[in-house]
Amino acid sequence: MSPQPEVLPDAEAQCRQLAELIRPQLFRKPALVGIYSGGAWIAERLRELLDLPEDIGLIDVSFYRDDFAEKGLHPQCKPTVIPFDVEGRHLILVDDVLYTGRTTRAAINELFDYGRPASIELAVLADRGGRELPVAATYGAWAVELNDHQNLVLGKQDDGRLVWRMENA
């Protein structure tokens, strides 16, 4: 993992890098499923970059989190939309930051409510380590070490460009 960055990388360039990592697998006709909100933005960008004809799936893991009883419902909960048949499909689950693995676990649990996919791969822009579950990204653009009190946040500018910012927790 790279040490804490002085300057945050270009998220748009990272999306292009992620697309090139995924491109060799397009023969499997994978469907993209983005986790709200950053992962959904990245999945849409990947769809454009890879010129995929099919709409992406969008997933909100709020009800599937193992800390739901503790934290309650997130105030900006969005509906999950899976516009394709999950059964037997090769899926690429897309998120902005991989950290503990709990969001990924929740997303996989929810996907199985829609059917049994042939496979699920994970694509992320940033892997910050700190895993609590045995989850790893198949495709990743950036491995970075952060302090526990730091959070990487992906944002979307008015012109639609994706950008990173660092927040202190």
Side-chain angles (χ1 to χ4, degrees):
M1 294 224 170
S2 63
Q4 181 179 336
E6 294 288 325
V7 176
L8 297 175
D10 180 343
E12 291 292 335
Q14 289 179 310
C15 286
R16 291 189 295 276
Q17 179 184 357
L18 210 52
E20 292 313 307
L21 292 171
I22 292 169
R23 191 173 302 283
Q25 296 304 312
L26 292 182
F27 73 93
R28 295 169 53 180
K29 301 203 181 321
L32 300 176
V33 180
I35 300 173
Y36 282 116
S37 63
W41 297 333
I42 297 163
E44 187 56 48
R45 186 73 82 242
L46 290 172
R47 179 180 175 257
E48 294 167 8
L49 291 167
L50 294 168
D51 197 29
L52 299 176
E54 189 172 41
D55 286 340
I56 63 168
L58 302 169
I59 195 166
D60 187 323
V61 300
S62 297
F63 293 112
Y64 289 79
R65 298 265 323 175
D66 57 7
D67 58 359
F68 179 76
E70 178 184 317
K71 290 186 176 180
L73 187 59
H74 191 277
Q76 296 167 342
C77 187
K78 298 181 189 265
T80 291
V81 178
I82 307 291
F84 45 79
D85 190 8
V86 166
E87 191 71 32
R89 279 303 289 273
H90 294 282
L91 303 178
I92 299 177
L93 187 61
V94 183
D95 205 1
D96 50 359
V97 179
L98 175 58
Y99 185 29
T100 64
R102 293 181 182 281
T103 297
T104 303
R105 184 217 42 90
I108 291 170
N109 283 358
E110 185 167 355
L111 284 171
F112 271 87
D113 283 351
Y114 288 85
R116 186 178 187 274
S119 67
I120 301 174
E121 296 180 308
L122 178 62
V124 299
L125 282 193
D127 181 343
R128 64 168 289 175
R131 222 69 81 237
E132 295 174 2
L133 299 173
V135 172
T138 311
Y139 312 102
W142 180 34
V144 61
E145 291 179 20
L146 299 176
N147 296 325
D148 289 341
H149 68 277
Q150 294 178 307
N151 286 324
L152 266 177
V153 179
L154 188 67
K156 193 171 190 180
Q157 294 183 324
D158 291 339
D159 64 1
R161 287 184 46 82
L162 302 177
V163 294
W164 287 114
R165 73 178 187 276
M166 188 79 71
E167 290 182 354
N168 289 318

